[in-house]
Amino acid sequence: MTVTYQPVIGLEIHAVLETRTKMFCACRLVGSTHAEPNAAVCPVCAGLPGTLPTLNQQAVDYALQVALALSCEVAPVSVFARKSYFYPDLPKGYQISQYDQPLARNGRIQIHTEAGEKTIRIRRVHLEEDTGKLTHLTEGNQPATLVDLNRAGVPLLEIVSEPDLHSAAEVRAYAVAIHNLLRYLGVNSGDLEKGLFRIEPNISLRPLGNAEFGTRVEVKNLSSFRSLEQAVAYEIERQTAVLESGQAVSQQTLGWDEAAGHTLPQRSKEDAEDYRYFPEPDLPPLLISADWLEKARAALPELPQARAARFQKQYGLARSTAETLTDDPAVADYYEALTAASTPQAAANWLTGEVFAWLNQHGLGISEFPLEPAALAELVRLAAAGEINQNTAKTVLAEMLATGQSASAIVAERDLRQISDPAQLAAWVGETLAAHPEQVVSYKNGKTGVLQFLFGQAMRRSNGRAHPEALQAELQRQMD
Ligand code: ADP
Ligand code: MG
Ligand code: ZN
């Protein structure tokens, strides 16, 4: 009898909080790429002896927003702890984190996949500091490692899920949901490639129906949702093969080799006791008053899932469209401005169709789209009102993007107005039939396919301006 294995997966996500200054000092946050190495470093984040950390209130505010948005219980008292280990990117020899008394616990988030809707439980949300960055130089005869402490002490939020995920698709949906949430709250830039949003899946298998979990591995260094999904799928397959061959999965930390498409061992996993956790003596417990919590709750914006639900109701959009439009808050804002000056469904079609295609093609985000919502709305209105037909509208959009002219100016200047005048349509059809007598004969002999060709010819005579349905009807009338 063959055993069916169930994947069991829990995620640890580290998100850089985009505060003005670092977690425990006044150094500013600099983007990882633009600043000179060690340009934003002081004695505190360099870990010099005798310095003292001071907690960044903005980081706590941000963390509270996330905790509340995830429906967590926020601890009135939480405690920072030292997690000790030696590594050259960690000058203090320990990382300040939260351990047995985190800021928040027991939250949840809704995800949905093709298999349906699901609630994933959040185990904990806590604050910690980031480490520095090492650059290993391998060229030359003397290999060397450079240390950059710009990132040391940058605030991180760690979000740990319960092992409630059971497939690569669910893992992706969960990670995307958290990613969207943080972007909505404006606390994280969401840049995976720059390491500002890091996802580490813990993956194990167990015989389906077993209550007990199997041995897990943890995968590090995933820089896209795609590699996350691939790494999880790969591990499920690998562990299934290990178990089916009668061997045991060994607990370890793995890396993901993007190019090769497989995981590879990094180091065997430390247990918590290796870190010698103890309460940070230089920081008092973090007290969250009822008042502070209320302020954080009051400051919560409309969240992505709520916004998608509202879009469905208020604008009558299909669920998938509402979700596509609310994925990115900037897109949702653009849509609401666009629909205010046009109609909801037409606005949605243009935005998710032509505009998204253009942005994809140029590798740009909506904030870089050259047309203001009001300018695009004019085009959407002209098309919806039948002033220009759909194909012409696409040409006009391209022209707007190329020249910056308004839709109405382009339509007037190039005489693109849609023509529905029956006499005019009848004339174009008549001319077309006269020019193609052979096709007319074959149509009469039952080759109905030529109708498409004749329609195209008649449309061409109109310079693309003919009302398509009316032209089609007129063609049909003259052929019968
Ligand atoms: P740490 O990695 O620091 O030991 P935890 O033990 O809290 O932290 O677990 C980290 C993550 O691993 C959590 O998301 C949890 O849901 C998940 N997890 C724990 N046990 C398993 C398991 N057997 N299989 C898969 N995921 C697991
Ligand atoms: Mg871990
Ligand atoms: Zn500093």
Side-chain angles (χ1 to χ4, degrees), residues 86-117:
F86 173 76
Y87 210 63
D89 65 6
L90 186 69
K92 292 199 295 286
Y94 59 85
Q95 178 192 27
I96 303 179
S97 180
Q98 294 189 307
Y99 182 51
D100 52 0
Q101 297 188 64
L103 181 71
R105 296 181 206 258
N106 299 333
R108 58 184 181 276
I109 190 166
Q110 202 79 0
I111 64 163
H112 74 264
T113 61
E114 279 170 15
E117 195 84 15

Side-chain angles (χ1 to χ4, degrees), residues 22 25 27 41-42 45:
K22 291 186 181 180
C25 63
C27 289
V41 180
C42 74
C45 55

Side-chain angles (χ1 to χ4, degrees), residues 123-144:
R123 183 179 284 182
R124 52 187 282 146
V125 173
H126 76 244
L127 282 161
E128 59 185 36
E129 57 176 340
D130 209 344
T131 60
K133 213 174 103 187
L134 302 182
T135 305
H136 303 288
L137 302 178
T138 49
E139 271 155 45
N141 42 14
Q142 205 66 49

Side-chain angles (χ1 to χ4, degrees), residues 65-96:
Q65 293 246 310
V66 176
L68 290 171
L70 291 171
S71 313
C72 289
E73 296 158 14
V74 173
V77 181
S78 64
V79 172
F80 287 95
R82 288 189 182 180
K83 178 180 181 179
S84 300
Y85 64 97
F86 173 76
Y87 210 63
D89 65 6
L90 186 69
K92 292 199 295 286
Y94 59 85
Q95 178 192 27
I96 303 179

Side-chain angles (χ1 to χ4, degrees), residues 407-454:
S408 53
I410 293 166
V411 169
E413 196 168 287
R414 295 183 42 185
D415 194 16
L416 295 172
R417 218 161 263 289
Q418 176 162 269
I419 295 173
S420 318
D421 171 33
Q424 181 61 71
L425 296 182
W428 281 322
V429 170
E431 289 162 27
T432 303
L433 301 189
H436 299 282
E438 284 169 36
Q439 277 79 1
V440 174
V441 170
S442 38
Y443 178 80
K444 303 271 181 202
N445 292 336
K447 279 195 143 188
T448 49
V450 296
L451 211 57
Q452 193 54 38
F453 166 80
L454 293 168

Side-chain angles (χ1 to χ4, degrees), residues 7-13 83 99 121 123-124 158-165 200-205 212-218 220 251 269-272 275 277:
V8 173
I9 307 150
L11 258 55
E12 293 163 75
I13 291 177
K83 178 180 181 179
Y99 182 51
R121 293 169 302 156
R123 183 179 284 182
R124 52 187 282 146
E158 176 164 353
I159 303 168
V160 183
S161 83
E162 290 294 340
D164 288 347
L165 301 156
E200 293 160 6
N202 290 261
I203 306 148
S204 68
L205 296 186
E212 209 175 302
F213 293 140
T215 306
R216 67 175 148 133
V217 302
E218 181 172 344
K220 302 259 182 198
Q251 180 171 338
K269 175 106 183 73
E270 299 88 355
D271 279 324
Y275 291 124
Y277 278 103

